[in-house]
Amino acid sequence: GPGSLFEPLPAERRFDLVLSFNALWLATDWRAYLASLCERSTRYLLLVVTNPASYGARLRRLWRQRGPTSGQAPLPYEHPASDPRNLLPALRQHGTIRASSHVD
């Protein structure tokens, strides 16, 4: 809706560089949001997501195991868009990946 974090830009707006920092997991439809990012980029898309294999994500998983988990919202590293097995093929549909840094 109006004022939404993911409100689309006017169709004619294009940018040399589009940056998305840890936002895919917040979108209702992360694949549609990714497509809109790619459509707006004329040269580069810099996409940052939470690494599900990072030490911080591992520590957070251990911490969550200590307490009740019912009703807790999923965290960024638990989202399908944070998994390179989901994200990289989705990105390839939109063009060439020039660089990628992830842990399998």
Side-chain angles (χ1 to χ4, degrees), residues 8-9 30 38 48 51 67 69 100:
L9 292 169
W30 72 270
C38 293
V48 179
N51 182 345
T69 58
S100 172

Side-chain angles (χ1 to χ4, degrees), residues 27-55:
T28 304
D29 181 345
W30 72 270
R31 291 177 190 274
Y33 175 62
L34 177 62
S36 72
L37 294 174
C38 293
E39 289 170 6
R40 300 294 180 255
S41 171
T42 59
R43 298 191 70 173
Y44 301 106
L45 168 62
L46 178 57
L47 187 64
V48 179
V49 297
T50 300
N51 182 345
S54 72
Y55 72 89

Side-chain angles (χ1 to χ4, degrees), residues 64-88:
R64 284 182 83 165
Q65 290 174 2
R66 295 187 64 197
T69 58
S70 64
Q72 290 185 354
L75 297 171
Y77 60 80
E78 298 171 323
H79 193 276
S82 295
D83 186 336
R85 294 171 295 184
N86 297 323
L87 182 56
L88 292 174

Side-chain angles (χ1 to χ4, degrees), residues 4-15 17-19 33 36-37 39-41:
S4 166
L5 179 61
F6 298 102
E7 187 172 331
L9 292 169
E12 68 276 1
R13 296 298 309 257
R14 300 284 188 268
F15 305 92
L17 172 66
V18 173
L19 167 66
Y33 175 62
S36 72
L37 294 174
E39 289 170 6
R40 300 294 180 255
S41 171

